[in-house]
Amino acid sequence: MANRIHPSILNSNLASLDAEIDRIPSSDGIHIDVMDNHFVPNLTIGLPVVECLRKNHPDAFLDMHLMIEDADTWAPGYAEAGCESVTFHVEAARAPVKLARDLRAAGARASMALRPATDIAPYEDLLPELDMILIMTVEPGFGGQSFLDIMLPKIRRTRALAKKAGLDLWIQVDGGVSEKTIDRCVDAGADVFVAGSAVFRADDPDSVVSALRDQADLRSGHA
């Protein structure tokens, strides 16, 4: 598949989310982090705000990343709100297969995220239930962290498992993605890239989105 850039609004001006989203019209998706101050030590937005964003940006691809406890209870609500992709952390899911099926039944792409210390191997049999795997390349909870190169082998293993199963599985990386790190992610097998600081700290965020996609396409041979 073509490479996708999903800017993270965690690093934007959270008091002006509509305006910030309007600054990145060429993005392939809007990555929205939901944190509950339990699963991770940070607190961000929740379902009521996301419902407003869905209404105000009906054509945007909303890519939800739920860093919350009790994902089984709360994740389906984001799919029912019309979000195109909903990611739950496997560490926070009691019944990940049922949850993935519930998300798909509600019309969303089902995605599973892994903390840096969580191996993909035990979840090989779950991959057919999923549309995307999110490999965290920083510890979840805060933006602006440095990319963890030690996650590259996990990305490679995940891509290899997807190929082994014959799956068209998106592999997303989140954390420290920039023009300095995206080539390594492409080489490892990722094709969906969450970039926060690199995008929203720029004077022209949308130009960064386009530049990152062009860089990834050139590296992967899609240019």
Side-chain angles (χ1 to χ4, degrees):
M1 61 161 282
N3 295 294
R4 299 176 61 92
I5 307 298
H6 290 192
S8 171
I9 62 171
L10 181 64
N11 300 94
S12 70
N13 180 356
L14 296 177
S16 302
L17 286 179
D18 285 333
E20 292 289 74
I21 290 173
D22 288 340
R23 296 174 71 202
I24 48 172
S26 68
S27 65
D28 301 293
I30 308 300
H31 189 82
I32 304 175
D33 292 305
V34 175
M35 309 182 197
D36 62 0
N37 199 33
H38 293 285
F39 183 72
V40 292
N42 198 359
L43 185 66
T44 57
I45 62 177
L47 186 56
V49 174
V50 172
E51 289 173 337
C52 291
L53 292 175
R54 174 75 292 163
K55 180 180 178 180
N56 293 350
H57 303 275
D59 298 325
F61 184 104
L62 299 187
D63 172 24
M64 303 306 306
H65 180 193
L66 308 183
M67 289 173 270
I68 60 173
E69 292 183 349
D70 198 10
D72 303 74
T73 297
W74 294 104
Y78 290 88
E80 292 163 4
C83 299
E84 283 77 8
S85 179
V86 179
T87 300
F88 62 89
H89 270 264
V90 69
E91 304 91 350
R94 297 184 302 275
V97 172
K98 180 181 183 301
L99 178 52
R101 291 180 178 180
D102 288 346
L103 293 173
R104 282 178 163 178
R109 294 177 62 87
S111 173
M112 187 174 77
L114 290 79
R115 287 178 177 268
T118 302
D119 190 11
I120 186 62
Y123 305 105
E124 179 178 358
D125 292 342
L126 272 66
L127 296 185
E129 305 288 342
L130 301 166
D131 300 292
M132 184 171 77
I133 292 287
L134 167 52
I135 305 295
M136 292 299 300
T137 45
V138 298
E139 290 294 339
F142 294 91
Q145 300 183 63
S146 297
F147 182 85
L148 295 174
D149 282 278
I150 59 172
M151 292 299 103
L152 293 171
K154 186 197 290 191
I155 299 170
R156 293 189 187 96
R157 290 194 298 272
T158 303
R159 178 55 69 197
L161 291 175
K163 287 183 178 179
K164 175 183 174 183
L167 299 173
D168 183 19
L169 189 70
W170 293 6
I171 298 181
Q172 184 179 71
V173 289
D174 181 3
V177 175
S178 69
E179 73 282 356
K180 295 180 180 179
T181 60
I182 196 168
D183 283 353
R184 282 171 273 169
C185 297
V186 171
D187 291 346
D191 48 24
V192 184
F193 308 92
V194 177
S197 300
V199 170
F200 284 105
R201 289 181 182 174
D203 292 333
D204 184 355
D206 203 51
S207 68
V208 177
V209 172
S210 297
L212 287 172
R213 187 189 301 108
D214 289 346
Q215 184 176 345
D217 285 348
L218 183 63
R219 190 74 175 187
S220 64
H222 284 109

